[in-house]
Amino acid sequence: MSLTFTQAQQILNTSFIAHTSVGTVELRLIEASELPGRGMPTEFRMPMALIFSAPASPLLTQDNYHIDHPQLGRQYWAMSPVQAPRNPPVTVNNEPLMFYQVLFN
């Protein structure tokens, strides 16, 4: 499945499950943004970045992960840790969060 920006916008603030070597980790999609196409032909999808929040532990390293979502099914995405967005979400208990990015070209 090729995720579109419109689809990403429709699933903002929903949960994903990442399968890691230490078990599953719940991710929440908190941001989706289109990136500059830099002269790409219009028939190609615009590059897109998805930003996820997750518990601070376990820390996920830059790697490829199987990701499950109720609407998207199972995906295999390259994910990397990133700095917190400008307006990061706050948990009910003020627990620290980590942030991860998936890029689509």
Side-chain angles (χ1 to χ4, degrees), residues 21-84:
S21 61
V22 296
T24 59
V25 175
E26 183 177 359
L27 306 168
R28 182 161 295 271
L29 179 59
I30 60 168
E31 189 177 301
S33 57
E34 285 187 312
L35 304 172
R38 297 189 187 115
M40 288 178 53
T42 56
E43 63 266 16
F44 292 108
R45 175 181 66 193
M46 293 296 290
M48 172 176 58
L50 303 181
I51 303 294
F52 296 87
S53 64
S57 181
L59 175 65
L60 304 181
T61 60
Q62 181 173 332
D63 206 344
N64 297 316
Y65 295 94
H66 283 103
I67 308 287
D68 290 331
H69 185 270
Q71 291 174 280
L72 303 177
R74 179 162 284 188
Q75 305 294 314
Y76 192 61
W77 289 342
M79 188 180 332
S80 59
V82 294
Q83 291 183 350

Side-chain angles (χ1 to χ4, degrees), residues 86-103:
R86 248 184 252 155
N87 298 310
V90 178
T91 61
V92 174
N93 301 334
N94 286 326
E95 294 176 11
L97 293 172
M98 284 298 299
F99 300 93
Y100 300 95
Q101 177 176 266
V102 174
L103 293 174

